[in-house]
Amino acid sequence: LYPLLVSIFAPLIGTLAAGVLVSNTFLLGALIFIYKLTEFEFDSDSAGRAVFYVAAFPTAFFFSAVYTESTFLFFTVSTMYFARRRMWAWAAFFGVLCASSRIVGVVIWGVVGLEWLLMHGWTLTTIHKREAWTNLFHALRTDWLNLAIICLIPLGLLSYMVFLNNQFNDPIAFSTTQSAWGREMLGPWTIVWRDLQALFSGNFLSGDIWWHVILDLTAYFAVLGMSITIWRRLGASYALYCIISILIPSASGTGSLSRYALVIFPVFMMLGYWGRIPWLDRTLTIVFSVMLGVLTTLFVNWVFVA
């Protein structure tokens, strides 16, 4: 979806300028939806802090670069916002676009579907109770149209697969080309353990240490750790989105996880709520801002960050 959006404006202002325009426009929209969603779940103070933490995150400069981060964040947050407001048609519309903006975006289908189930009294904690299944069967009879609309979300990914098949005769080229970046599908636990071993076996004083690996692994464990609290405070749909969104890319490599964590919005919503504690807010503000400055400097000097 991102290259398609850029191509609309490229003939007028050039590809690079079009990319920057699209990225920053959708970043603004994403921040607005993050504010509205966090305000819906918590309060306006938490919403303001969540927006700041997203904008000040160490890899936030990718939002303004010619990358898919801003468009993907916009469509994921907007989809979740409309799902939480039980506006299923709008959730499906933005969900289709979400699934066409990044491969992992199809995960939002399950999130919206779970929200539909929760609205009808079917939860993961009551799955063993007869009442939950009675509610589900009743929902299938009375609210099947909204469920059918939600099931349109995977069309976004399918449309991309059709494009890949037509252009490259490979509908899953997004998977088969991963080896070009030195990634291999070994599973998240194998990949993380391998990178941890390589990290600790290196010499931090004189050896060739890939410092971005530390950032990526920190982001990985931070997202998984926070998912527990997110599950308790925001619910299963938010937490499962966090877990799956970090496990899918880590299944083939830990590289760029600090960038992938940038768009896992429930983490920043939770940080916005925790930021009501003054010392934590000051700590996050200082650490995020300093790291953002350092990593931006590295990035614009052609040093790989994420």
Side-chain angles (χ1 to χ4, degrees), residues 115-155:
E115 283 296 319
W116 182 86
L117 290 171
L118 292 173
M119 184 184 72
H120 291 289
W122 190 97
T123 66
L124 295 175
T125 57
T126 61
I127 192 174
H128 61 286
K129 296 182 179 180
R130 181 177 179 177
E131 180 183 0
W133 294 97
T134 301
N135 292 335
L136 175 60
F137 292 137
H138 176 74
L140 291 174
R141 292 195 305 270
T142 61
D143 197 28
W144 61 269
L145 180 58
N146 281 326
L147 181 60
I149 293 174
I150 292 170
C151 289
L152 296 175
I153 291 177
L155 290 178

Side-chain angles (χ1 to χ4, degrees), residues 2-3 13 23 31 58-59 70 73 80 91 126-127 133 139 148 163 172 174 190 200 207 231 239 245 252 261 294 300:
Y2 182 78
I13 57 177
S23 293
L31 295 178
T59 53
S70 56
L73 180 63
M80 191 62 180
T126 61
I127 192 174
W133 294 97
F163 167 79
I172 57 170
F174 52 79
T190 302
F200 289 122
W231 192 307
S245 293
S252 59
V294 172
V300 299

Side-chain angles (χ1 to χ4, degrees), residues 57-124:
F57 193 70
T59 53
F61 54 85
F62 283 109
F63 283 137
S64 296
V66 187
Y67 278 72
T68 63
E69 264 61 32
S70 56
T71 52
F72 181 70
L73 180 63
F74 173 81
F75 289 120
T76 52
V77 180
S78 58
T79 301
M80 191 62 180
Y81 174 78
F82 288 115
R84 290 293 293 147
R85 298 297 295 265
R86 309 315 187 203
M87 302 169 68
W88 304 115
W90 282 107
F93 172 76
F94 284 101
V96 170
L97 296 174
C98 176
S100 65
S101 60
R102 188 177 283 183
I103 302 304
V104 73
V106 76
V107 171
I108 206 71
W109 177 35
V111 173
V112 176
L114 182 55
E115 283 296 319
W116 182 86
L117 290 171
L118 292 173
M119 184 184 72
H120 291 289
W122 190 97
T123 66
L124 295 175

Side-chain angles (χ1 to χ4, degrees), residues 287-300:
V287 173
F288 280 10
S289 299
V290 171
M291 289 299 297
L292 175 60
V294 172
L295 295 185
T296 302
T297 302
L298 293 173
F299 181 74
V300 299

Side-chain angles (χ1 to χ4, degrees), residues 74-288:
F74 173 81
F75 289 120
T76 52
V77 180
S78 58
T79 301
M80 191 62 180
Y81 174 78
F82 288 115
R84 290 293 293 147
R85 298 297 295 265
R86 309 315 187 203
M87 302 169 68
W88 304 115
W90 282 107
F93 172 76
F94 284 101
V96 170
L97 296 174
C98 176
S100 65
S101 60
R102 188 177 283 183
I103 302 304
V104 73
V106 76
V107 171
I108 206 71
W109 177 35
V111 173
V112 176
L114 182 55
E115 283 296 319
W116 182 86
L117 290 171
L118 292 173
M119 184 184 72
H120 291 289
W122 190 97
T123 66
L124 295 175
T125 57
T126 61
I127 192 174
H128 61 286
K129 296 182 179 180
R130 181 177 179 177
E131 180 183 0
W133 294 97
T134 301
N135 292 335
L136 175 60
F137 292 137
H138 176 74
L140 291 174
R141 292 195 305 270
T142 61
D143 197 28
W144 61 269
L145 180 58
N146 281 326
L147 181 60
I149 293 174
I150 292 170
C151 289
L152 296 175
I153 291 177
L155 290 178
L157 175 58
L158 291 176
S159 67
Y160 182 53
M161 294 176 67
V162 170
F163 167 79
L164 291 176
N165 188 64
N166 292 336
Q167 294 293 319
F168 310 107
N169 201 31
D170 183 5
I172 57 170
F174 52 79
S175 177
T176 55
T177 58
Q178 289 299 307
S179 59
W181 285 270
R183 304 176 75 95
E184 49 186 338
M185 297 298 294
L186 299 177
W189 316 123
T190 302
I191 291 291
V192 170
W193 178 246
R194 182 194 65 184
D195 287 359
L196 280 173
Q197 286 182 312
L199 189 64
F200 289 122
S201 63
N203 189 326
F204 282 81
L205 297 179
S206 60
D208 184 17
I209 298 297
W210 291 74
W211 293 100
H212 67 85
V213 176
I214 299 177
L215 297 175
D216 292 329
L217 290 175
T218 299
Y220 175 81
F221 288 112
V223 171
L224 288 182
M226 288 187 63
S227 296
I228 299 173
T229 303
I230 291 172
W231 192 307
R232 293 174 178 173
R233 186 62 180 79
L234 290 172
S237 55
Y238 281 103
L240 289 174
Y241 175 77
C242 294
I243 295 170
I244 297 174
S245 293
I246 202 69
L247 288 183
I248 288 179
S250 66
S252 59
T254 60
S256 300
L257 286 186
S258 60
R259 175 164 61 88
Y260 296 140
L262 178 63
V263 294
I264 305 179
F265 61 91
V267 168
F268 298 100
M269 293 172 62
M270 200 69 240
L271 288 178
Y273 178 70
W274 286 346
R276 69 190 189 282
I277 304 173
W279 70 265
L280 180 58
D281 178 53
R282 288 194 295 270
T283 300
L284 290 174
T285 299
I286 294 172
V287 173
F288 280 10

Side-chain angles (χ1 to χ4, degrees), residues 1-24 64-68:
L1 180 62
Y2 182 78
L4 182 62
L5 293 171
V6 172
S7 68
I8 296 174
F9 302 98
L12 301 175
I13 57 177
T15 302
L16 180 58
V20 174
L21 174 65
V22 170
S23 293
N24 284 280
S64 296
V66 187
Y67 278 72
T68 63

